[in-house]
Amino acid sequence: MNAGGARQDGPMADSMPLPRAPKVLAIVQAGGKGSRMGALTADRAKPALPFGGTHQLIDITLSNVANSGIGSVWVSVQYQAGSLDEHLQHGRPWDLDRNVGGFRRVVPDEVDAVRTGGFAAGNADDLYRIRREIEREDADVVVVLSADQIFALDLRDVIAAHLETGAACTIVTTQVSRSQASDKAVVITDATGKVTRVAEKPENPESTTISAEIFVYEKDALLSGLDKAEKATRPDDGKGEDVVDETGLGDFAEHLLPQIIADGPVRTYPLEGYWKDMGRPELYLAAHRDLVRGVVRVFDDVDWPMRTLATNRGAARVRAGAVVAESVISPGCDIAGTVRGSTLGPGVVVREGAVVEDSVIFDACVIEREAVVSTSILDANVAVRAGVRVGTSSAGKRAHDDAIAVVGHDSVVRSDVVAGSQIDPGSTVA
């Protein structure tokens, strides 16, 4: 109405204020020690492991977050944090180095050391240790993601579905085999799609639907769930006194998600397309097998780029007489031998007569003349001397830890390394 009481006509007369877009905080959990990866994580955080030759695992998660338009991103890292810092560049490769919001690295044991000293014991425990920082953040929605998995997902779609259903938490799910489900958090729903419970690594899983380690939380529901679950699981020293350096929360499916399921509706969002985590050497090698076969398409969409800190190496060189088949070759490689079904990181040298098959070779390794590397993972700067054999033959490969030879960085291999061996970093195999 105008000052005289007459009706005001025009295009703005019937307009309503547009709803405010939700404020979103993404927390990328870069994990702890990753002990199941053996020699590969002796001196690095698991998300710092290379993937596809040119990227690190954490690049995949950060690229999905950045491509989804989320501008406030935290990376929570404890173990070997320095192995990630140089690569992360304060979020610059993902255009997250901003004055408002942007990139921030948080270290849980420093944030809340008085109450819960030491490393976090699980993903839920990790969130509990930074809960005060989350509480102070101006956010409506908190997206929590693991940093050691391969996937492509527009998180805007997940957030929209989360808000539409009014869920306290939305769990992004994927389908795996029944045997794989026994090593994951299995998600059980009712006929309406509402989550009724979650089971952490069940011996006999009743479903093959698992958490893809991507969650969208309503902020207050997350903080309330953390507080209630911590109080319910607070360890006792047997004398009626709390143990102050532990929370007992563990991973999400142990206590936090059951608490949130009890308090409010929890829904699922199915992830379509490829997903695999990198928890063990055989899974890491399997993902690279998928990559060279063209099953993994995360690098193929120019409109959904997987960004990383660029290498300054020149183009790869394939010499006369070399054979390269179904492989990923990174910049700076020099190949005079044979490479089949493998991924080579930057600067790898394969001499004449050498063979690399069904393997992942990190940057700056040298495979000398007549050496054979098969069904193996070689960390950076490994030298395999002439005529030496590392790993199984391709005819004998099996997708088990004991079939994969893993050689730690800066090692020199002067004699054969059998399948299933774990060579510590800096070793000389004589």
Side-chain angles (χ1 to χ4, degrees):
M1 302 291 288
N2 62 16
R7 185 177 186 276
Q8 180 177 342
D9 296 319
M12 298 298 294
D14 298 321
S15 65
M16 298 291 292
L18 294 174
R20 180 179 65 82
K23 296 180 180 178
V24 181
L25 167 66
I27 300 176
V28 177
Q29 294 189 300
K33 188 173 183 179
S35 57
R36 291 187 298 175
M37 294 299 286
L40 299 175
T41 52
D43 300 315
R44 65 160 68 86
K46 185 165 58 171
L49 282 168
F51 182 76
T54 54
H55 287 61
Q56 291 188 5
L57 289 180
I58 197 170
D59 296 337
I60 307 301
T61 296
L62 284 174
S63 294
N64 279 290
V65 169
N67 290 341
S68 299
I70 299 175
S72 184
V73 182
W74 296 358
V75 172
S76 176
V77 57
Q78 291 184 298
Y79 177 76
Q80 295 289 347
S83 64
L84 280 169
D85 281 345
E86 182 177 354
H87 180 78
L88 292 175
Q89 295 284 305
H90 303 289
R92 189 171 302 117
W94 304 274
D95 194 29
L96 292 170
D97 52 337
R98 309 174 185 178
N99 291 328
V100 178
F103 179 90
R104 177 183 174 192
R105 182 168 74 81
V106 293
V107 182
D109 59 320
E110 292 181 357
V111 170
D112 202 15
V114 174
R115 169 65 184 89
T116 52
F119 284 171
N123 294 331
D125 186 35
D126 175 73
L127 287 184
Y128 181 83
R129 293 166 186 257
I130 59 172
R131 71 198 184 282
R132 299 304 180 209
E133 298 294 300
I134 297 172
E135 186 176 17
R136 287 191 287 268
E137 184 73 5
D138 184 15
D140 305 302
V141 172
V142 181
V143 182
V144 181
L145 313 92
S146 171
D148 55 0
Q149 54 195 358
I150 307 302
F151 70 102
L153 176 65
D154 192 334
L155 294 163
R156 290 170 293 199
D157 295 336
V158 188
I159 294 168
H162 171 81
L163 295 173
E164 183 178 352
T165 61
C169 172
T170 297
I171 305 173
V172 175
T173 59
T174 189
Q175 299 295 321
V176 296
S177 68
R178 194 163 295 277
S179 61
Q180 290 172 325
S182 64
D183 195 40
K184 304 296 179 185
V186 174
V187 181
I188 297 95
T189 60
D190 62 18
T192 69
K194 181 180 177 182
V195 177
T196 57
R197 64 188 180 89
V198 290
E200 178 71 11
K201 299 181 180 179
E203 185 175 346
N204 297 302
E206 59 186 277
S207 169
T208 57
T209 302
I210 66 163
S211 161
E213 301 183 25
I214 303 168
F215 307 88
V216 178
Y217 294 98
E218 193 272 325
K219 176 184 164 181
D220 290 340
L222 171 61
L223 293 171
S224 174
L226 285 169
D227 183 61
K228 290 181 180 180
E230 192 278 331
K231 284 184 171 64
T233 60
R234 185 177 296 171
D236 186 273
D237 65 356
K239 301 177 182 179
E241 299 179 5
D242 295 331
V243 179
V244 298
D245 62 350
E246 300 178 13
T247 68
L249 286 177
D251 286 325
F252 292 122
E254 294 181 55
H255 302 288
L256 176 60
L257 286 176
Q259 180 64 59
I260 294 178
I261 290 168
D263 288 346
V266 175
R267 298 285 178 177
T268 62
Y269 185 98
L271 188 156
E272 298 179 1
Y274 190 88
W275 179 90
K276 192 182 290 291
D277 80 335
M278 302 288 106
R280 300 190 304 275
E282 76 270 21
L283 295 174
Y284 182 78
L285 180 56
H288 282 88
R289 288 171 177 160
D290 292 341
L291 180 67
V292 300
R293 292 201 310 266
V295 177
V296 182
R297 307 300 296 270
V298 296
F299 297 122
D300 296 352
D301 189 348
V302 295
D303 296 323
W304 199 260
M306 294 296 158
R307 297 180 173 89
T308 187
L309 184 65
T311 176
N312 291 321
R313 293 181 183 271
R317 173 177 292 181
V318 179
R319 305 276 182 176
V323 175
V324 178
E326 203 175 38
S327 295
V328 173
I329 310 300
S330 298
C333 287
D334 190 340
I335 303 169
T338 297
V339 179
R340 296 190 181 97
S342 297
T343 298
L344 273 55
V348 171
V349 176
V350 181
R351 302 290 189 198
E352 184 178 357
V355 176
V356 176
E357 57 182 2
D358 188 39
S359 295
V360 181
I361 313 298
F362 292 11
D363 57 292
C365 290
V366 178
I367 317 301
E368 296 188 356
R369 291 173 178 270
E370 308 304 325
V372 176
V373 177
S374 184
T375 314
S376 300
I377 304 171
L378 272 56
D379 206 330
N381 298 301
V382 168
V384 179
R385 297 306 189 206
V388 170
R389 298 185 64 90
V390 178
T392 66
S393 66
S394 58
K397 68 185 179 187
R398 303 187 308 276
H400 301 293
D401 281 321
D402 61 3
I404 301 171
V406 178
V407 181
H409 64 80
D410 295 293
S411 293
V412 179
V413 182
R414 300 180 183 276
S415 62
D416 292 354
V417 174
V418 299
S421 298
Q422 283 265 350
I423 308 301
D424 291 335
S427 298
T428 297
V429 182

